[in-house]
Amino acid sequence: MFAFNEASEKEIEKILGKYPDRQSALLPLLTVTQRQERHISPEAMVEIGRRLDVSPAYVQSVASFYTMYHAEKVGRYLILFCINISCQLNGCDDLLAYTAKKLGIEVGQTTPDEKFTLLREECLAACTGAPMMRINDTFYEFLTPAKIDEIIDSLE
Ligand code: FES
């Protein structure tokens, strides 16, 4: 059984006020759902469809197109490690392997306590700060092993 929590309901009310055509609020509602649940479940798709008067299949087709919506639950901290050309030329492969080893998981996995998920990502448009990673909404640039230690160890 899926239900939006109180904070999400307030956000949804504001979002729906901005869109005369309810269907246009699909991406913002998916974002609210991803933030609340850390994934988009089939039950959530049904509820979003009901709110916006679209089919769950339509919700699923949109959710599955965008990489920021996840079918499987991600950790509280979602680490997106850029592996594109600028980051590649500045050693991202070794740093990604270092991060995976530090977390005790493989790339693509979530730690057993659901704190971290580590994923590869394409260019995040912060090439001048390569090598870089994004954790939730924050970019971390010019990474080194020591900097990665400092960043990850500082997250509660
Ligand atoms: S190549 Fe890594 S941010 Fe662009």
Side-chain angles (χ1 to χ4, degrees), residues 52-146:
L52 302 182
D53 198 23
V54 295
S55 71
Y58 182 74
V59 177
Q60 199 270 340
S61 72
V62 174
S64 63
F65 179 79
Y66 292 96
T67 58
M68 69 270 205
Y69 305 126
H70 301 272
E72 302 295 327
K73 193 170 190 177
V74 295
R76 288 190 290 115
Y77 294 102
L78 176 59
I79 304 174
L80 300 175
F81 221 101
C82 177
I83 54 156
N84 217 297
I85 190 69
S86 297
C87 291
Q88 186 77 216
L89 292 171
N90 284 282
C92 72
D93 285 345
D94 289 345
L95 292 169
L96 178 59
Y98 178 84
T99 306
K101 190 172 178 197
K102 178 177 177 62
L103 297 175
I105 56 175
E106 300 290 325
V107 177
Q109 292 183 336
T110 299
T111 54
D113 61 0
E114 295 188 355
K115 187 171 179 183
F116 295 103
T117 296
L118 180 62
L119 299 178
R120 289 183 182 87
E121 182 61 286
E122 295 302 331
C123 182
L124 286 161
C127 311
T128 54
M132 62 80 62
M133 64 180 172
R134 174 181 168 174
I135 303 181
N136 294 349
D137 293 329
T138 306
F139 281 25
Y140 298 94
E141 301 176 340
F142 306 110
L143 295 174
T144 63

Side-chain angles (χ1 to χ4, degrees), residues 1-16 19-26 29-30 32-33 36 43-56 59:
M1 175 73 183
F2 170 81
F4 287 111
N5 63 27
E6 202 180 319
S8 294
E9 287 290 3
K10 280 187 185 156
E11 210 174 335
I12 289 168
E13 197 179 317
K14 274 192 214 159
I15 290 166
L16 292 179
Y19 293 93
D21 173 3
R22 295 176 82 81
Q23 296 181 11
S24 301
L26 179 51
L29 257 66
L30 285 168
V32 169
T33 308
Q36 177 185 306
E43 294 79 12
M45 290 181 199
V46 170
E47 179 60 15
I48 293 169
R50 191 184 70 73
R51 302 273 182 125
L52 302 182
D53 198 23
V54 295
S55 71
V59 177

